[in-house]
Amino acid sequence: MRTIVLFAMSLFPVLCASAADVDRRIDDLIARMTLQEKLGQMSQSTSLKTPLSDAMKAEIRAGRWGSFLNAGDAKDRAEAQRIATEETRLKIPLIFGRDVIHGYQTVFPIPLGQAATWDPDLVRQAAREAAREAAADRIAWTFAPMIDIARDPRWGRIAESLGEDPYLASQLGAAMVRGFQGDSLAAPDSLAACAKHYAGYGAVEGGRDYNSAWIPEILLRDVYLRPFQAARKAGVATFMTAFNTLNAVPATADPFLLRDILRGEWNYDGMVVSDYEAVTNLIAHGYALDAREAARKSIRAGVEMEMVSTSFYDHAPDLLRAGEITMKEIDDSVRDILRLKFRLGLFDRRPLPPAPDHSRALVIAEKAAEESVVLLRNDKNVLPLSKSVEKLAVIGPLADSPVDQMGTWSMDGRADFVRTPLAALREMLGADRVIYARGLINSRNHSRAGFDRAVRAARDADAVVLFLGEEAILSGEARSRAFLNLPGAQEALVDAIAATGKPIAAVILAGRPLTFHDAATKIPAILYSFHPGAMGGPAIARLLFGDASPSGKLPVTFPRTVGQVPIYYAHLNTGRPPLPSDLGVPMGNPANPQGYTSKYIDVDYTPEYPFGFGLSYANFQYSPAELSSNTLPPGGRLRITAQVANSGRRASDEVVQLYTSGPLGGSVARPVRELKGFRRVHLEPGASTKVEFTITTADLAYYNPKMQLVTEPGPYRAWIAPDSASGAAVSFEVTK
Ligand code: NOJ
């Protein structure tokens, strides 16, 4: 009995230890640490190589490093941790961080695809599985969620984002934090999460990665910071600074972001890590003359751990001697780093979690893939296909490409877990009913050598499914694109297959919104699956053949052409909003003489597909929204309800969305609509349900020009709608 009790206590003493106990232990350690040991804690390295070298072992023994990222294997990590906790002077454990962005061994849809599920609990479950798998490999910290608002599909990192909307990204980002961190950070299968990249990285000019961001404070607070504040509220353990300058100050040395807002306004007591060499990047920014100045500016601003570059370690001693930084700044950083290690139970030899159950993770991966796929078009109900189809042609460079289907950031992803659409369709229909032709060797390929075979395959089949899009390496970090079209000769492949006259559906696997306006005129049915992860194949096969109905909704606006970017639904109205009569400008016509409104003369002002959009195999009807009152007093609540019915012949989930706008006549012009709530409901054919949302004046709050969060009185509007561009508005008044 005694042994069991002792064992249990040794596992989770941190759960029982009060915050005051931990603070005492931290103070005690800090009092005993040398400056070199403190700076070691503030240093994170990638150079833990397999096998662990003697030189690295000696560095760990000397307390040179507090953390490693993306380095070594589980065995190296175990040995490095053993040395840190047994052979260093103060036995301070290391913390191993890694980019576990959308799954570890089991890869879930890319974050942008997960955002298309609009299903926070599913997103939480995916993060939970990722944490279990990664923790079993001795990783304690993930650099996720990435909650940069992304409104520019040229930016390759839109793939890692949760889309364009602060409310959706807040809900899903917080769900990821809860999933990674579990109920307690000290549990063996929890990871510390990291809210990144703080802040403004999604607004890099021209969508060019690492570029400058200019964001007026009102937009920063109303849009870009909201998901970070939500992550903070969800208890995120760490923040990562962004690479970019924000309004001319590099985010990695910005006291306004790090001290005034994060610590001051949000009262954050977690830890702040820089991005990869972002501290010494201050030199290229022209913000620091040398590494010494870079260290000074970052430390003073509140960066606590330096990723990869070594300016803190190299220059802090001299900066201290010269009085340019203080020992309090160093101690505060070390305190936050040690507190994180305590919270994770690392000081108490955090045990390994049970071996992960990959089959459970794969079930969640399939559900997430299924919910993430967005049906963009389904003319004449081409989809779902009938299982009585005799021969199906499966064509395209992305039908059978496991690595591409996993998407960006899947360095630990198990390709052997991946089930491609081709494999799933062969299994579903029988291999002899599927004729496969790749058409192009990859998505960028310009050679038409494979077209003849692909056309023959289409001719020999009753129906065709084209798998188009982007390979994994075309999105993600440093993968900005100036063109958003289907790369390579894919449009020509579409032409060749469309000319056969066979019924065609396309599945587009991509890391960003692509523009495919012309191709879409030749393809009656389009499913957009983003990069769907390990179980994309079975999920797509089930959707194609109606075993499930598509239910994903776009987390980002799809432009008609790259020239419309940035285009997002929550824009201001302008003084000369375009009129419905301005619609229908032919693509490519430069000489349209219509009126002096805010539009283009060569393309419609509307997006190709609006935010929130997604069809299904059901037929959903929305009743007009009803309000519990026409007025909302300060501090009051308003109920908004609508009846949603499925008048179709198939069951499906529907994501019902609540938008508001207003007030008119306030101290600032306000967006035409803003998402304020959403609910995923399931409706059988003929069924209907009442969907109810409650809003308060706090939900409507926004920043005024004095940077005060206000809900001014005046007329507001609300919509309960299937997407951001439809539905009928109801009006109410916020009273004084
Ligand atoms: C740079 C990326 O910006 C960041 O997101 C990532 O976590 C780090 N590298 C570590 O790999």
Side-chain angles (χ1 to χ4, degrees), residues 48-50 52 60 68-85 94-98 100 104-105 133-140 352 411-412:
L48 191 93
K49 302 280 181 253
T50 300
L52 214 53
I60 296 170
F68 291 94
L69 82 149
N70 295 349
D73 60 20
K75 222 169 92 245
D76 303 321
R77 289 191 276 274
E79 175 58 4
Q81 192 66 292
R82 191 198 61 73
I83 296 172
T85 51
L94 299 163
I95 177 167
F96 296 105
R98 201 166 178 90
V100 180
Y104 184 62
Q105 288 145 332
E133 290 186 353
D137 267 356
R138 297 182 187 273
I139 291 155
L352 282 184
M411 59 185 167
D412 299 296

Side-chain angles (χ1 to χ4, degrees), residues 69-70 99 143 157 160 196-197 201 240 243 275-276 307 409 477:
L69 82 149
N70 295 349
D99 289 290
F143 305 124
R157 301 199 79 170
E160 298 173 52
K196 77 183 188 186
H197 307 83
Y201 189 30
M240 184 189 293
F243 281 129
D275 203 344
Y276 203 106
M307 188 187 282
W409 279 133
E477 188 176 346

Side-chain angles (χ1 to χ4, degrees), residues 145-149 160-162 169 172-174 195-197 224 227-228 231:
M146 194 271 231
I147 43 180
D148 297 308
I149 293 301
E160 298 173 52
S161 83
L162 297 169
L172 300 178
K196 77 183 188 186
H197 307 83
Y224 287 87
F228 287 93

Side-chain angles (χ1 to χ4, degrees), residues 101-102 110-111 156 159-160 404 406-411 472 475-477 531:
I101 307 294
H102 54 110
I110 54 168
E160 298 173 52
D404 290 318
M406 288 197 281
T408 185
W409 279 133
S410 38
M411 59 185 167
S475 59
E477 188 176 346
H531 287 134

Side-chain angles (χ1 to χ4, degrees), residues 85-140:
T85 51
E86 290 178 9
E87 298 180 10
T88 61
R89 205 174 67 86
L90 295 172
K91 315 219 171 347
I92 298 174
L94 299 163
I95 177 167
F96 296 105
R98 201 166 178 90
D99 289 290
V100 180
I101 307 294
H102 54 110
Y104 184 62
Q105 288 145 332
T106 306
V107 174
F108 299 95
I110 54 168
L112 192 60
Q114 290 189 45
T117 68
W118 296 54
D119 190 339
D121 194 56
L122 188 56
V123 166
R124 181 194 61 77
Q125 288 176 43
R128 191 85 286 276
E129 294 306 318
R132 287 184 172 127
E133 290 186 353
D137 267 356
R138 297 182 187 273
I139 291 155

Side-chain angles (χ1 to χ4, degrees), residues 627 629-634 638 640 659-668 670-674 676 695-703 709-719 729-736:
L627 296 167
S629 163
N630 292 331
T631 56
L632 175 61
L638 194 64
I640 308 180
Y659 295 91
T660 64
S661 79
L664 299 173
S667 60
V668 283
R670 299 281 302 131
V672 293
R673 277 197 196 196
E674 292 175 295
K676 295 293 175 184
I695 50 172
T696 64
T697 41
D699 296 325
L700 298 171
Y702 53 90
Y703 284 86
L709 189 63
V710 294
T711 306
E712 292 166 312
Y716 287 72
R717 298 202 293 167
W719 295 255
V730 285
S731 301
F732 62 97
E733 186 91 13
V734 168
T735 55
K736 288 207 175 106

Side-chain angles (χ1 to χ4, degrees), residues 298-490:
S298 281
I299 291 171
R300 296 228 69 165
V303 175
E304 300 182 314
M305 182 183 280
E306 182 176 12
M307 188 187 282
V308 180
S309 52
T310 59
S311 70
F312 289 8
Y313 195 86
D314 297 340
H315 299 289
D318 187 48
L319 290 166
L320 278 166
R321 266 193 303 275
E324 294 179 52
I325 58 171
T326 63
M327 190 57 92
K328 179 171 181 315
E329 283 162 339
I330 299 291
D331 287 351
D332 285 350
S333 302
V334 173
R335 183 170 289 110
D336 286 346
I337 293 163
L338 296 181
R339 192 185 299 115
L340 174 67
K341 293 181 175 183
F342 273 106
R343 284 178 176 168
L344 282 162
L346 293 169
F347 275 93
D348 305 291
R349 310 230 167 168
R350 180 181 155 99
L352 282 184
D357 178 353
H358 299 303
S359 56
R360 183 182 56 206
L362 287 166
V363 169
I364 295 168
E366 181 166 353
K367 182 148 199 281
E370 188 179 300
E371 289 191 9
S372 73
V373 176
V374 183
L375 179 61
L376 294 178
R377 185 177 159 82
N378 195 15
D379 268 17
K380 303 202 186 89
N381 293 334
V382 167
L383 290 178
L385 299 170
S386 158
K387 282 195 187 155
S388 59
V389 65
E390 272 180 37
K391 296 270 185 208
L392 179 75
V394 171
I395 296 172
L398 291 160
D400 194 33
S401 190
V403 169
D404 290 318
Q405 155 177 349
M406 288 197 281
T408 185
W409 279 133
S410 38
M411 59 185 167
D412 299 296
R414 291 267 302 262
D416 59 321
F417 286 1
V418 174
R419 298 204 32 226
T420 66
L422 177 65
L425 288 166
R426 279 181 172 152
E427 186 174 316
M428 179 183 268
L429 300 175
D432 53 334
R433 286 166 66 199
V434 175
I435 319 171
Y436 171 54
R438 209 175 168 97
L440 292 160
I441 53 170
N442 60 40
S443 72
R444 287 165 299 155
N445 183 221
H446 283 280
S447 161
R448 300 181 185 199
F451 280 25
D452 283 352
R453 226 181 115 212
V455 168
R456 268 201 310 281
R459 285 212 183 103
D460 291 346
D462 313 296
V464 181
V465 185
L466 276 170
F467 288 88
L468 306 170
E470 277 182 331
E471 300 149 71
I473 57 154
L474 295 184
S475 59
E477 188 176 346
R479 299 287 188 271
S480 296
R481 290 185 61 195
F483 298 93
L484 296 175
N485 54 314
L486 292 164
Q490 292 186 71

